[in-house]
Amino acid sequence: MTRIDDWQHMVSVGTIARTHGRRGQVVVNPLTDFPETRFRVGEIVYTKDGTEITVLRITEARFQKGRPVVGFENIHTINDAEGLRNRELRIPESALGQLPTGTYYSHDLVGCEVVTRDGKSVGVVSKVEGPVALQRLIVVKGENICDVPLVDAVCVTIDIDSQRICIDPPVGLLDLNEK
């Protein structure tokens, strides 16, 4: 079980963008493929200010332009909410649900070594872009930085336990996508 003081083993689910209204609500930039589940009344998220981890229970939740607008227990004014601006929201890794076969949490992919079918090292996944519902990209840092579509035709094997992704890139993909 994850202790609430174990920040490094928590998973980021969003950041607080700004205040909303005068009653302590905030707008969240979600970093989860399940914002309706993560940001609903009764759910708990954690934030950190310096070395202090704070528990935030969601008391109000709605969506505006695709982003959660939430209220937290004991945050009742715009001044209270202003102190949360730009804070990261996390949950314990143990609170994550099981994903369907063939889908992965972004934090599981970050750090994986990426190699081609013939064994050539491409680099290491530095981040994953895009929601699950749309085509996602893995950003791979090696000699260059490139985007690789996270699709079965390109990412032929993903082994989370071994931290290795084998790709079969179409001709020119790695050169075309150099950043």
Side-chain angles (χ1 to χ4, degrees), residues 40-52:
R40 65 181 173 200
V41 173
E43 291 296 314
I44 293 176
V45 293
Y46 301 84
T47 189
K48 186 175 181 182
D49 184 22
T51 59
E52 183 180 339

Side-chain angles (χ1 to χ4, degrees), residues 12-179:
S12 184
V13 293
T15 58
I16 296 176
R18 60 180 174 80
T19 61
H20 184 83
R22 296 184 300 183
R23 291 186 256 152
Q25 293 181 330
V26 296
V27 176
V28 176
N29 290 327
L31 297 174
T32 174
D33 293 320
F34 312 103
E36 294 82 11
T37 302
R38 291 285 164 236
F39 300 105
R40 65 181 173 200
V41 173
E43 291 296 314
I44 293 176
V45 293
Y46 301 84
T47 189
K48 186 175 181 182
D49 184 22
T51 59
E52 183 180 339
I53 296 174
T54 304
V55 177
L56 297 171
R57 180 179 303 279
I58 298 172
T59 58
E60 301 174 65
R62 63 186 169 83
F63 283 79
Q64 184 176 8
K65 296 182 182 176
R67 295 194 300 176
V69 177
V70 299
F72 297 113
E73 192 172 79
N74 300 321
I75 305 291
H76 303 293
T77 68
I78 193 170
N79 289 335
D80 294 339
E82 188 63 41
L84 298 174
R85 182 188 293 265
N86 297 321
R87 294 247 197 113
E88 182 180 15
L89 301 174
R90 292 188 179 189
I91 61 169
E93 196 168 356
S94 61
L96 296 174
Q98 187 71 27
L99 292 176
T101 302
T103 57
Y104 307 91
Y105 284 111
S106 296
H107 70 275
D108 287 333
L109 298 173
V110 172
C112 285
E113 178 187 16
V114 178
V115 297
T116 61
R117 275 195 167 175
D118 61 5
K120 178 185 173 206
S121 178
V122 178
V124 175
V125 177
S126 63
K127 68 180 176 176
V128 180
E129 295 180 341
V132 166
L134 303 173
Q135 181 174 327
R136 298 173 84 186
L137 297 171
I138 54 175
V139 178
V140 181
K141 286 187 179 181
E143 282 185 30
N144 297 302
I145 298 174
C146 61
D147 294 336
V148 176
L150 188 57
V151 295
D152 292 342
V154 177
C155 296
V156 291
T157 60
I158 298 175
D159 187 342
I160 297 300
D161 294 332
S162 298
Q163 289 276 282
R164 189 175 172 98
I165 299 172
C166 180
I167 64 171
D168 187 13
V171 175
L173 174 74
L174 300 177
D175 299 326
L176 176 68
N177 285 323
E178 287 181 6
K179 288 188 175 184

